[in-house]
């Protein structure tokens, strides 16, 4: 019996020894079998970036660190995280290496496509002009500018006695929209259109779009034949004399900060049916003559000049500022010559005035003469608010 038990114990020890798991070899290397990238070829414009990502097989390989290298850093660079940055036009290979294995991606860098978004801040006037010309040649018709106004190269002292305003870079082009809402450092401009002793325009101490900036006619040709919208920033407080005159397709002028609407500035803009001038205080001679304006609200205007709505299809005019108005008649009005202050094509136009100009209870000048008469003009009706 003892012999049997002894044999049984030996057998058990043998079985346990055979079943004991082998101790793992923690020093065994797991080599990288392959490395792949998320792109074999990418196209980037100068200044653009692209994120490359590397995948190592197997994932638990010992050498999991990836190193990156650009074949030509002058064309494209790459950082330690695989971010490619395009530097100059051309092609180069980006190589990823891990555990002795490599993968590459071809990076093709191109010049950016021209567009109408031009930041002039760090550009010269010549560079701005070149960017505009390149965009125009590419068929761009809408432009959005930022930076200093002078970089546009538009004359700031033009007069009807010379043609310096034709330096406008958009003259005789198909430009449709010019957004200047992010343009700064606007020049001093002429708004009254009165020439000095040398028959030149003189500035009037206000800043904005210069006289003749986008005058629409030269030698019988339309200079901006497709122009339909101009956008100004709040910083621009004036539209200069004849700045936008005779642009037959001009439909919209956005000018949230304009206080002074210059002499003849929108004359002959027949497609212009409305305009918002929430801050305007002074409207000069013939400003809206022969436009398509039918209704206009001028809540802060307190000074108006003759002929401003001459031959307009005006049906409603709101002049609701309180206090006295300054009314400038034609210099020969007393002799029966020249246009009246108000002269429009519609047989009747509704006028809205501040209640302080009521024909009976008003105290401000000029007071209405009746329910239909103000400034020697017969209106369809006058509403007092």
């Amino acid at each position: 019996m003892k012999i049997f038990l002894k044999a049984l114990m030996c057998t058990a020890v043998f079985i346990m020894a055979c079943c004991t798991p082998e101790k793992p070899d923690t020093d065994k290397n797991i080599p990288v079998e392959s490395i792949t990238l998320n792109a074999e070829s990418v196209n980037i414009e100068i200044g653009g970036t692209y994120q490359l990502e590397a995948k190592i097989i197997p994932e638990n390989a010992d050498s999991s660190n990836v190193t990156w290298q650009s074949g030509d850093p002058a064309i494209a660079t790459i950082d330690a995280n695989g971010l490619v940055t395009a530097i100059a036009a051309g092609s180069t290979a980006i190589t990823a290496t891990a555990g002795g294995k490599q993968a590459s991606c071809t990076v093709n860098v191109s010049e950016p496509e021209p567009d109408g978004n031009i930041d002039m801040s760090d550009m010269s006037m010549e560079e701005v002009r070149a960017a505009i010309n390149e965009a125009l040649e590419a068929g761009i018709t809408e432009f959005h500018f930022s930076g200093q106004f002078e970089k546009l190269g538009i004359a700031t002292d033009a007069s009807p006695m010379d043609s310096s305003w034709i330096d406008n870079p958009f003259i005789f082009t198909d430009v449709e929209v010019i957004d200047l809402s992010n343009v700064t450092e606007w020049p001093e401009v002429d708004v009254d259109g009165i020439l000095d002793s040398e028959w030149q325009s003189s500035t009037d101490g206000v800043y904005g779009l210069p006289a003749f900036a986008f005058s629409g006619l030269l030698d019988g040709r339309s200079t901006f034949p497709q122009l339909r919208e101009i956008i100004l920033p709040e910083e621009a407080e004036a539209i200069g004399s004849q700045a936008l005159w005779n642009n037959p397709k001009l439909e919209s002028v956005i000018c949230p900060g304009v206080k002074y609407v210059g002499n003849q500035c929108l004359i002959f803009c027949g497609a212009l049916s409305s305009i918002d001038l929430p801050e305007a205080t002074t409207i000069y001679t013939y400003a809206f003559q022969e436009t398509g304006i039918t209704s206009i609200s001028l809540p802060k205007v307190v000074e108006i000049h003759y002929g401003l709505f001459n031959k307009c299809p005006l049906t409603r005019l709101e002049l609701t500022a309180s206090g006295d108005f300054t009314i400038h008649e034609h210099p020969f009005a007393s002799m029966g010559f020249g246009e009246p202050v108000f002269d429009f094509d519609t047989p009747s136009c509704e006028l809205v005035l501040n209640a302080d100009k009521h024909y009976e209870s008003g105290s401000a000048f000029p007071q209405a003469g009746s329910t239909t008469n103000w400034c020697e003009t017969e209106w369809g009706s006058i509403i007092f608010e």
Side-chain angles (χ1 to χ4, degrees):
M1 184 67 177
K2 289 182 178 180
I3 295 173
F4 173 77
L5 291 174
K6 187 175 181 180
L8 184 61
M9 290 178 64
C10 289
T11 301
V13 170
F14 176 77
I15 293 173
M16 290 178 64
C18 292
C19 294
T20 301
E22 183 179 354
K23 183 179 180 180
D25 184 3
T26 56
D27 297 329
K28 184 177 180 180
N29 292 328
I30 303 176
V32 174
E33 296 177 5
S34 66
I35 179 172
T36 59
L37 300 179
N38 59 327
E40 295 181 356
S41 177
V42 295
N43 301 315
I44 320 175
E45 291 184 352
I46 292 175
T49 60
Y50 186 85
Q51 181 65 57
L52 283 175
E53 297 175 359
K55 182 178 181 180
I56 296 173
I57 298 175
E59 294 182 357
N60 63 340
D62 291 336
S63 299
S64 59
N65 292 329
V66 179
T67 59
W68 300 91
Q69 185 175 12
S70 171
D72 190 346
I75 293 176
T77 61
I78 188 160
D79 67 12
N81 298 312
L83 182 66
V84 179
T85 301
I87 305 299
S91 296
T92 189
I94 300 294
T95 303
T97 303
K101 302 296 183 179
Q102 291 185 333
S104 63
C105 171
T106 300
V107 176
N108 303 305
V109 180
S110 61
E111 297 283 350
E113 290 293 326
D115 61 27
N117 300 309
I118 300 176
D119 183 355
M120 305 181 291
S121 303
D122 297 321
M123 301 172 70
S124 67
M125 190 181 300
E126 292 74 19
E127 289 172 332
V128 171
R129 185 64 62 98
I132 292 172
N133 290 339
E134 184 180 8
L136 288 168
E137 290 172 3
I140 304 298
T141 59
E142 295 191 12
F143 287 80
H144 305 267
F145 292 96
S146 57
Q148 306 92 326
F149 180 87
E150 67 176 358
K151 300 287 187 67
L152 286 168
I154 295 175
T156 59
D157 57 354
S159 86
M161 308 308 293
D162 61 39
S163 57
S164 60
W165 57 272
I166 67 173
D167 287 335
N168 187 308
F170 292 106
I171 196 167
F172 300 131
T173 70
D174 291 329
V175 65
E176 295 182 17
V177 177
I178 299 178
D179 180 0
L180 305 173
S181 59
N182 290 311
V183 171
T184 60
E185 300 181 25
W186 290 77
E188 188 176 351
V189 302
D190 164 35
V191 288
D192 61 17
I194 298 175
L195 303 181
D196 61 20
S197 59
E198 297 181 355
W199 294 89
Q200 297 295 311
S201 297
S202 57
T203 55
D204 297 310
V206 295
Y207 298 83
L209 190 65
F212 300 93
F214 290 91
S215 286
L217 194 66
L218 178 65
D219 296 333
R221 293 178 61 191
S222 182
T223 46
F224 307 99
Q226 305 302 324
L227 183 62
R228 58 182 175 81
E229 184 172 47
I230 290 277
I231 305 173
L232 303 178
E234 290 190 11
E235 180 183 344
E237 61 178 351
I239 301 176
S241 175
Q242 300 186 49
L244 296 167
W245 81 290
N246 209 0
N247 283 290
K249 291 190 177 181
L250 186 64
E251 300 173 347
S252 172
V253 180
I254 299 175
C255 43
V258 164
K259 298 178 181 178
Y260 306 93
V261 182
N263 165 63
Q264 302 182 59
C265 69
L266 290 163
I267 191 171
F268 306 138
C269 294
L272 185 69
S273 60
S274 65
I275 183 172
D276 290 328
L277 292 162
E279 299 299 321
T281 60
T282 305
I283 314 289
Y284 285 89
T285 309
Y286 303 120
F288 305 118
Q289 178 173 323
E290 295 192 45
T291 63
I293 293 175
T294 57
S295 177
I296 188 169
S297 175
L298 301 169
K300 294 186 178 181
V301 166
V302 293
E303 182 176 6
I304 51 180
H305 291 245
Y306 61 90
L308 71 165
F309 292 109
N310 189 27
K311 298 181 181 179
C312 284
L314 199 65
T315 59
R316 182 179 173 90
L317 171 62
E318 298 180 16
L319 294 170
T320 52
S322 61
D324 292 345
F325 268 66
T326 300
I327 308 292
H328 298 270
E329 294 185 338
H330 193 283
F332 300 135
S334 60
M335 295 182 286
F337 297 101
E339 292 81 1
V341 175
F342 298 103
D343 183 20
F344 30 84
D345 277 352
T346 46
S348 63
C349 176
E350 184 177 68
L351 174 66
V352 182
L353 294 174
N354 189 284
D356 63 5
K357 296 171 186 66
H358 192 275
Y359 59 96
E360 290 181 342
S361 58
S363 58
F365 175 86
Q367 187 175 334
S370 68
T371 57
T372 59
N373 187 282
W374 187 66
C375 286
E376 300 182 3
T377 300
E378 284 297 319
W379 304 82
S381 62
I382 300 178
I383 299 171
F384 299 94
E385 294 184 349

